[in-house]
Amino acid sequence: MLDWVTDPQIWIGFFTLVALEIVLGIDNIIFISILAGKLPPEQRDRARVMGLGAALITRLLLLLGLSWVVQLTEPLFTVLGHEISGRDLILLLGGLFLLGKSVTEIGHSMDAPADKDGKKAAAASFASVIMQIMVLDIVFSLDSVITAVGMVDQLGVMIAAVVVAVVVMLFASGPISRFVDRHPSIKMLALAFLVLIGVVLIAEGFGQHIPKGYIYFAMAFSLVVELLNIRVRSKRAHLEQQDSTSKMK
């Protein structure tokens, strides 16, 4: 019964799937971090935990309903000569939602003045934030589960890999959220990432497959450049502070 413990292929598949699930969960973490950042500080951790908890439950339910997930790839109707399946429809709607939400958040970040009574307004929107997270969890979870099904045959290995990946994401979401909150330029970059991911989801819904490696490389490259900019700005501010202090003396 415990032959799987000594089977290297199962362990290779498990660790590979964990790594892929974490990578595929990056966009989920970014989205949750940005939405949770709109809440009062005392509610942000709870929103992140609830959001990732909902993501875990969604993934497990989809894994337990593998026969339904497989049926999602069957065509439902045709648009302009392209067959649209249930999966395509979910990706299209999710991509449009993510695109609209990201563009709206970018507009608010650029134009909206700081809300002096933000705590009250954000507290009233806690349920709305959780609902938005859960809607996108379905889209991101579908992509995650389809990847798992394509890589590993054993349901137990899939479930274990998903649980481990979500736990890692849970621990990573806090530091990522705080870092995004401290640096407005990183938040704007993260929103731009979400716009890109929304466009990719829409393209996937129309059958245009875009390798995720290109997307994640572009995201990583942009992030490194922005981190270097933050470092330069921090050094410059420190030198200017030192100069002003020396002049005062």
Side-chain angles (χ1 to χ4, degrees):
M1 287 183 66
L2 295 178
D3 291 343
W4 62 270
V5 176
T6 56
D7 188 344
Q9 293 300 318
I10 288 181
W11 285 105
I12 291 171
F14 170 76
F15 286 114
T16 304
L17 187 54
V18 167
L20 274 176
E21 291 291 326
I22 292 172
V23 171
L24 289 172
I26 291 173
D27 41 19
N28 208 350
I29 292 177
I30 292 172
F31 185 75
I32 290 174
S33 299
I34 289 173
L35 286 183
K38 298 171 66 177
L39 297 169
E42 65 272 13
Q43 291 186 346
R44 291 173 187 172
D45 288 338
R46 185 156 61 100
R48 284 195 297 270
V49 171
M50 290 180 67
L52 287 170
L56 175 59
I57 292 171
T58 304
R59 282 163 167 77
L60 293 180
L61 289 175
L62 287 174
L63 282 172
L64 294 174
L66 282 180
S67 58
W68 179 75
V69 173
V70 171
Q71 290 176 2
L72 284 176
T73 59
E74 297 177 2
L76 296 176
F77 52 88
T78 303
V79 176
L80 299 176
H82 175 68
E83 294 180 337
I84 302 293
S85 65
R87 173 181 177 271
D88 294 335
L89 199 57
I90 293 173
L91 290 177
L92 281 169
L93 293 175
L96 288 170
F97 176 79
L98 186 58
L99 191 60
K101 186 65 184 174
S102 303
V103 171
T104 302
E105 289 296 326
I106 289 174
H108 287 167
S109 298
M110 293 177 65
D111 300 329
D115 184 8
K116 295 181 180 178
D117 193 26
K119 186 172 182 178
K120 182 178 179 181
S125 66
F126 183 83
S128 172
V129 167
I130 296 300
M131 285 302 298
Q132 291 176 63
I133 290 172
M134 291 178 70
V135 168
L136 260 296
D137 277 342
I138 294 173
V139 180
F140 292 139
S141 296
L142 186 65
D143 196 22
S144 169
V145 168
I146 289 174
T147 300
V149 172
M151 283 198 58
V152 181
D153 295 329
Q154 295 86 355
L155 180 61
V157 175
M158 295 181 206
I159 291 175
V162 166
V163 170
V164 171
V166 172
V167 170
V168 172
M169 288 160 57
L170 183 61
F171 282 103
S173 65
I176 290 174
S177 296
R178 288 187 286 272
F179 184 75
V180 169
D181 288 339
R182 284 198 307 269
H183 301 283
S185 60
I186 291 292
K187 181 179 179 180
M188 191 62 67
L189 186 62
L191 287 168
F193 290 163
L194 292 178
V195 170
L196 178 61
I197 292 165
V199 172
V200 170
L201 289 176
I202 293 171
E204 292 266 355
F206 282 113
Q208 303 299 317
H209 178 66
I210 301 174
K212 294 289 175 60
Y214 295 134
I215 306 300
Y216 291 127
F217 175 78
M219 290 168 62
F221 180 78
S222 302
L223 180 60
V224 169
V225 171
E226 187 54 38
L227 289 174
L228 290 173
N229 284 332
I230 290 173
R231 178 70 174 168
V232 169
R233 287 195 295 266
S234 176
K235 271 191 169 183
R236 187 177 299 160
H238 181 67
L239 290 173
E240 289 175 355
Q241 186 178 11
Q242 282 184 333
D243 289 342
S244 61
T245 303
S246 61
K247 287 178 181 177
M248 290 176 63
K249 291 181 179 180

